[in-house]
Amino acid sequence: MPDQEEPGERRAADDAQRRRRRAQFLRELNEARALRERVQPRRARAARMRQAMRMRTFRW
C-alpha cells in the first residue's frame, strides 16, 4: 500500500509541512505589523517605545 510509509519519513514530511506553515504565518504576521505601522504610525511608535522600555528594564 502506498500510505504505508516509514515512521521517520512521515515525521520528516510532517515537520517540513509544519515549518512551511510556520514560515507562512510569520511572513503574514510581519506583513500585518508593517501595515498596522503604516496605517497607525503614532500607535505603532507608542508600542515600540513600550517594548523598548520593557527591554531596558528586563533583568538578565
Side-chain angles (χ1 to χ4, degrees):
M1 294 189 116
D3 39 307
Q4 295 295 329
E5 297 177 2
E6 295 275 331
E9 290 176 19
R10 172 170 231 136
R11 184 166 162 201
D14 289 348
D15 286 350
Q17 186 178 20
R18 184 182 59 80
R19 281 194 300 273
R20 276 195 300 275
R21 283 196 315 263
R22 183 173 189 273
Q24 177 69 28
F25 169 76
L26 291 175
R27 275 195 300 273
E28 290 173 359
L29 182 64
N30 285 334
E31 186 179 328
R33 278 197 185 122
L35 177 63
R36 195 176 311 125
E37 194 165 323
R38 282 197 307 274
V39 172
Q40 301 173 330
R42 196 166 79 194
R43 187 175 293 176
R45 182 173 183 266
R48 275 198 313 273
M49 294 296 167
R50 282 193 301 274
Q51 175 67 13
M53 183 60 72
R54 276 196 300 270
M55 295 307 286
R56 277 197 298 271
T57 58
F58 181 76
R59 297 271 180 171
W60 292 102

